[in-house]
Amino acid sequence: MYTLKPSFSKTLFLKSPHLRSSFKPQFFPSTGKHLSFSITCKLKTSKDGKSSKGLAKKIVLSEEAPEVSDDGGGNGEAQPKPANKGGGAGGGGFAGSVKRFPRKVLSVLSNLPLAIGEMFSVAALMALGTAIDQGEAPDFYFQKFPEDNPVLGFFTWRWVLTLGFDHMFSSPIFLGMLALLATSLMACTYTTQIPLVKVARRWNFLHSAEAIRKQEFSESLPKASVQDLGVVLMGAGYEVFLKGPSLYAFKGLAGRFAPIGVHLAMLLIMIGGTLSATGSFRGSVTVPQGLNFVLGDVLSPSGFLSTPTKAFDTEVHVNRFYMDYYDSGEVLQFHTDLSLFDLDGKELMRKTISVNDPLRFDGITIYQTDWSFSALQILKDGEGPFNLAMAPLKINGDKKLFGTFLPVGDSDSSNVKGISMLARDLQSIVLYDKKGKFAGVRRPYSKLPIDIDGTRIVIEDAIGSTGLELKNDPGVPIVYAGFGALMLTTCVSYLSHTQIWALQDGTTVVIGGKTNRAKLEFPDDMDQLLDRVPEVVESSSPSKQSDAISG
């Protein structure tokens, strides 16, 4: 005795406060492949709660007829599947919200207006950091941005010191904005650029002439072959793929990768800039010729990531400082001969540096930036030599002036008089007597004496001081690499990614294509390519040839 036991592949649930249904299935002992039953539903409105007229639907399940069960204990009812306690496959509830949260965050971060706003904010902070003097003492900002006369009516020294605008490029607000911009770039790359590249790499054949005609460019070639079109496209630099009567070709795929490269280059620049602002050392020193200094005594950390190296224990000796001059007497260039020694006194390196020709040693760069006049070496009445310290004198303009004084007579007197010596550079010294009258000009190394107020003076040497700037910046190579990659990927991004589809429809080839750049020139380029496709000439049938011969 066989009992009919229906089985359903899916459990259907009708849940609606406005829908009442009566489900009365009827089963028939048939081996057919269709099962028919009726559902009568009544719709209850939310206004009066009254039932509207019934809606009858007939559902036909295209399932195979259930097999006849040989289990006598069956009751002929379908066993429903247990409900999913985890919120269903759709991921509803709290767990689903947690899963969707990262996508929502990525969607917000990859928003183009947000990224543009972040870039303008970074540019504004950089401009503000350029306008405000960086690294000065608090007293400097007290005087330049006083509270009794605020800039723009509100900007005072409190804004500068509280927000860290005195060290803008390592301040939390600037670094935070850079981090936010970097996050937006990565989110845009992940959600937009990488999927575009994946789509562009697929061989996407179109098997419908209508779909091909919907492209930006479409054309039909009668009496043509899709194979001949493929040969022409290959000659034009396209990658061509054939599948039966369908053709797909593309070129310029590198242009699709370029935006990812641009984003990575910008990330490199920001990483390098951040490392420079928070992990570098800087310092400057003016050293007279013949003296030494230790690198670690001059270099000062610029951020919380600054870490000294063994090279900071290196000692630098100034062997010689000298200058080159124009014919007019103006300073042309200045040079410094430097030697580097380790703790044991062994010379590690020696180089003569000048402006735009620095010394680089173990990540530390020494630049020639300035010069000064240290001392004047003289002979007085055959005695000496004596070193007279030269002091800088303030004058109008950018030109330098240095001076020194040689007492003559009783130096313990309250009214000491002597010989004054002035110099603008290291090549000539102007001398004045104790009354302030011009006495003469002498060049160092000339050995020519000059008698002033009964004292014979010989200028032996002019000792200069070199102005050096030192820097240890681990972010510079990263920034250079980022800018190099940015220039390269920007040029690559101008390559057009062009896609062409074709379909052999009888003796006609339907062609369509699109490009992401140079859209105005694309139709002309396509017309030139299609003009090179040869026309297929149909050969005459044998019957027609025989008729023509008999005639």
Side-chain angles (χ1 to χ4, degrees), residues 371-425:
W371 67 275
S372 184
F373 205 139
S374 176
L376 193 62
Q377 193 174 78
I378 67 169
L379 294 176
K380 177 184 177 183
D381 294 331
E383 298 179 356
F386 302 100
N387 288 337
L388 302 179
M390 299 289 285
L393 305 177
K394 292 183 178 181
I395 60 175
N396 296 329
D398 297 331
K399 294 184 178 180
K400 296 184 177 183
L401 180 64
F402 302 89
T404 188
F405 181 77
L406 176 65
V408 176
D410 187 6
S411 59
D412 295 331
S413 174
S414 58
N415 187 15
V416 180
K417 295 183 179 181
I419 301 172
S420 300
M421 305 176 193
L422 301 178
R424 292 187 179 276
D425 48 47

Side-chain angles (χ1 to χ4, degrees), residues 40-57:
T40 302
C41 305
K42 292 185 178 181
L43 184 64
K44 181 177 69 174
T45 61
S46 58
K47 294 182 179 180
D48 52 3
K50 296 180 181 180
S51 300
S52 61
K53 70 176 186 177
L55 300 175
K57 294 291 182 181

Side-chain angles (χ1 to χ4, degrees), residues 12-55:
L12 304 177
F13 296 94
L14 299 177
K15 295 182 179 181
S16 174
H18 306 295
L19 198 63
R20 294 179 180 176
S21 64
S22 59
F23 179 33
K24 297 179 180 181
Q26 297 177 356
F27 303 103
F28 304 92
S30 173
T31 59
K33 295 187 177 181
H34 289 83
L35 178 63
S36 176
F37 56 88
S38 298
I39 297 179
T40 302
C41 305
K42 292 185 178 181
L43 184 64
K44 181 177 69 174
T45 61
S46 58
K47 294 182 179 180
D48 52 3
K50 296 180 181 180
S51 300
S52 61
K53 70 176 186 177
L55 300 175

